[in-house]
Amino acid sequence: MQLNLTKPICFFDLETTGVNITSDRIVEISILKVYPDGKEERKTWLVNPEMPIPKEVTEIHGISDEKVANEPTFKELAKEIHNMIKDSDLGGFNSNRFDIPLLAEEMLRADIDFDMKNRMAVDVQTIFHKMEQRTLSAAYKFYCDKNLDDAHSAEADTNATYEVLKAQIAKYDDLENNTKFLAEFSSRKKFADFAGFIVFNKDNKECFSFGKHKGKLVTEVLEKEPGYFGWLLNADFPLYTKKVLTAIKLRSFNNKL
């Protein structure tokens, strides 16, 4: 089984200090880049998160403060990582809801203008949950008949994710072997940002998904209540959400000119 690709796709997995997209940091990232001709390129980095790794988190992925003390920070690695993924679609396991949003935050903190506009995202977990309702280890056993002995190792999880996707395509006749179909099939609600604070309605217009303006058009809220924009930018929202809000506001302003 070889993926039917029109551009490269980078499968990746993050190990982190926790699960908060805005405040936690990456401690390990592994990327498997697959090219349309089937060529594969792998790279794994340990990352100094510049903050303590909680003991209970270290017990899950085995990465301690001591292990990353002399490793580069994400800001020091950001350009190298970005150069590897900038021409590619992205794939992962629960990546749409966690890995991509957190990677975007780290990139923006490193002053790299990370964007998903011209790339697609294939979330293998969503495909798996729609088809079988299991975990990555169970998916690996179910689809590939292999045991994931190094679960929560970024490299092992990344390689298993890639193998599971190929096995899923081989198993299910209704899964098309192209990234566009897989990205659409593995998406959940259509978000304008990664974290789900801004969603598209049935008319494909951006709406707030939370708070007092839930369900209202972003453009209308920002026009009627200009101070809300300033509050959002100063509140504890993800950087990518703030970037999307700013783009919507600028677009609305330019449309009036």
Side-chain angles (χ1 to χ4, degrees):
M1 165 60 66
Q2 183 171 314
L3 294 184
N4 182 17
L5 303 174
T6 56
K7 65 189 289 190
I9 182 169
C10 284
F11 294 92
F12 77 104
D13 185 70
L14 306 178
E15 302 302 337
T16 66
T17 59
V19 296
N20 188 306
I21 290 167
T22 58
S23 62
D24 280 306
R25 300 292 186 270
I26 294 170
V27 298
E28 185 180 32
I29 177 170
S30 186
I31 300 174
L32 166 58
K33 186 171 186 177
V34 184
Y35 292 85
D37 64 0
K39 174 189 168 186
E40 298 174 8
E41 179 184 350
R42 291 175 171 82
K43 183 72 176 177
T44 300
W45 298 265
L46 282 171
V47 184
N48 184 335
E50 301 181 277
M51 65 182 292
I53 304 171
K55 182 175 180 292
E56 61 271 19
V57 177
T58 295
E59 288 173 355
I60 294 172
H61 55 47
I63 301 171
S64 63
D65 292 334
E66 294 74 22
K67 189 171 182 179
V68 295
N70 297 317
E71 298 296 336
T73 65
F74 188 87
K75 190 164 188 176
E76 292 170 327
L77 293 169
K79 286 185 179 177
E80 182 182 358
I81 293 170
H82 185 253
N83 284 339
M84 187 171 183
I85 68 174
K86 65 183 180 181
D87 63 341
S88 306
D89 294 322
L90 297 178
F93 199 85
N94 193 34
S95 48
N96 285 355
R97 292 192 294 176
F98 182 72
D99 298 83
I100 292 176
L102 185 52
L103 179 62
E105 291 298 291
E106 292 275 37
M107 285 290 184
L108 292 172
R109 278 192 288 265
D111 299 320
I112 290 180
D113 189 21
F114 181 86
D115 210 305
M116 289 293 292
K117 284 180 183 175
N118 296 316
R119 64 173 116 219
M120 290 176 283
V122 177
D123 193 328
V124 176
Q125 186 194 60
T126 303
I127 296 174
F128 184 36
H129 284 179
K130 284 186 175 182
M131 295 296 190
E132 302 294 344
Q133 306 291 315
R134 295 288 196 280
T135 62
L136 177 57
S137 295
Y140 199 45
K141 181 66 177 175
F142 182 86
Y143 290 110
C144 306
D145 197 24
K146 297 178 183 177
N147 293 319
L148 186 51
D149 297 324
D150 296 322
H152 298 298
S153 154
E155 185 171 355
D157 287 357
T158 296
N159 292 337
T161 297
Y162 175 48
E163 288 188 50
V164 167
L165 177 61
K166 291 191 292 181
Q168 286 173 329
I169 295 168
K171 181 177 178 63
Y172 302 113
D173 292 337
D174 49 346
L175 287 183
E176 295 179 17
N177 187 358
N178 69 77
T179 309
K180 184 175 186 299
F181 174 88
L182 294 170
E184 290 174 353
F185 187 85
S186 63
S187 67
R188 297 175 187 266
K189 232 176 205 180
K190 193 176 178 186
F191 299 139
D193 64 337
F194 295 125
F197 292 109
I198 305 169
V199 298
F200 289 101
N201 65 13
K202 57 182 175 59
D203 298 318
N204 211 36
K205 294 183 178 180
E206 298 98 338
C207 295
F208 287 110
S209 67
F210 68 97
K212 64 180 182 179
H213 295 305
K214 184 175 181 178
K216 296 179 183 177
L217 292 175
V218 174
T219 50
E220 291 182 0
V221 172
L222 297 185
E223 183 174 354
K224 293 177 182 176
E225 196 177 328
Y228 194 60
F229 178 71
W231 175 80
L232 289 167
L233 291 190
N234 290 311
D236 189 25
F237 287 98
L239 295 175
Y240 198 86
T241 299
K242 295 176 181 180
K243 176 183 174 180
V244 170
L245 281 168
T246 302
I248 295 170
K249 186 174 177 65
L250 288 173
R251 186 185 69 208
S252 181
F253 176 77
N254 290 333
N255 287 341
K256 291 179 181 178
L257 297 179

